[in-house]
Amino acid sequence: MARPPRFEHVRWLGDKRTQRVHDLDHTVAGCRLDELVASGQFATFGPDRLAEARNRGYRPHRRCADLPSSGG
C-alpha cells in the first residue's frame, strides 16, 4: 500500500476518532488510510515515535503497528 501524500517524512499517523496509531512503513489494506486522510481526523507526533503516540493515549493499530519491528 502506498504512503499517503503529504506524509513522506512521517512514520506514525494517529486516528483521532479511534485513538489508534498507524505505522506508515507497514500499512495494509485494512488500515483504510485514504478514508482517514480524507476525514481530516488524524494526528502526527513530534518526535515521530510510537512511544510519543502512546504518551498521547494512542494504541497501535493491530494490523500495521503492532509488529515486533515497529518499536521506535
Side-chain angles (χ1 to χ4, degrees), residues 1-70:
M1 180 168 202
R3 184 179 295 264
R6 298 181 16 206
F7 299 103
E8 299 88 16
H9 304 290
V10 175
R11 179 172 178 184
W12 301 100
L13 187 66
D15 186 335
K16 292 180 179 180
R17 303 167 299 182
T18 62
Q19 290 295 107
R20 296 284 180 184
V21 65
H22 297 269
D23 182 350
L24 297 182
D25 288 347
H26 298 101
T27 58
V28 296
C31 293
R32 300 185 349 221
L33 292 176
D34 294 335
E35 176 186 315
L36 173 59
V37 173
S39 76
Q41 296 296 312
F42 57 83
T44 58
F45 309 96
D48 187 26
R49 297 179 164 249
L50 179 58
E52 182 61 25
R54 286 183 171 156
N55 284 341
R56 295 184 189 196
Y58 286 80
R59 298 173 313 279
H61 186 268
R62 66 179 181 176
R63 292 188 177 159
C64 64
D66 204 16
L67 304 171
S69 64
S70 62

